[in-house]
């Protein structure tokens, strides 16, 4: 059972990136999938979540309007399209599988992919 996040990199302010979260060993559609980010010394921040059965989508205030989450169940993958990146978006991004977007905790967690926004 594994969640693999990828797609991070070094970009400039205003650029775009698309992160991928691929599930193996379980069916991603059975879970809500959330993206979190963390900067050293700070608490994790919820970025976005895509619900499973109800298909509701949530975004953090700091990314609303710039980031878009989507899921491709045929590929067992959830994407996070990040546009108009800002310096403060720099963080380690990781995905989690959880029972629901509004439930605490997670069932599975990926190892993360680093996004660095720098001029």
């Amino acid at each position: 059972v594994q969640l693999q996040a990828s797609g991070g990199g070094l970009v400039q302010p205003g650029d775009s990136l698309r992160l991928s979260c691929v599930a193996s060993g379980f069916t991603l559609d059975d879970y809500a999938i959330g993206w979190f980010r963390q900067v050293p010394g700070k608490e994790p921040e919820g970025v976005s979540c895509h619900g499973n059965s109800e298909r509701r989508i949530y975004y953090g205030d700091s990314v609303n309007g710039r980031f878009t989450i989507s899921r491709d169940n045929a590929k067992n993958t959830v994407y996070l399209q990040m546009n108009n990146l800002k310096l403060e978006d720099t963080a380690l991004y990781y995905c989690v599988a959880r029972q629901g977007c509004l439930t605490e905790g997670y069932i599975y967690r990926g190892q993360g992919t680093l996004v660095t926004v720098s001029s």
Side-chain angles (χ1 to χ4, degrees), residues 75-94:
K75 295 182 178 180
N76 228 23
T77 301
V78 169
Y79 302 100
L80 184 69
Q81 177 67 42
M82 307 187 297
N83 297 329
N84 190 23
L85 283 161
K86 302 178 179 181
L87 297 175
E88 53 266 36
D89 293 320
T90 295
L92 180 71
Y93 287 72
Y94 60 94

Side-chain angles (χ1 to χ4, degrees), residues 4 10 22 25-26 34 41 45 57 67 94 103 118:
Q4 183 76 34
L10 173 63
V22 182
F26 67 99
E45 176 189 4
I57 291 176
F67 291 10
Y94 60 94
T103 58
S118 176

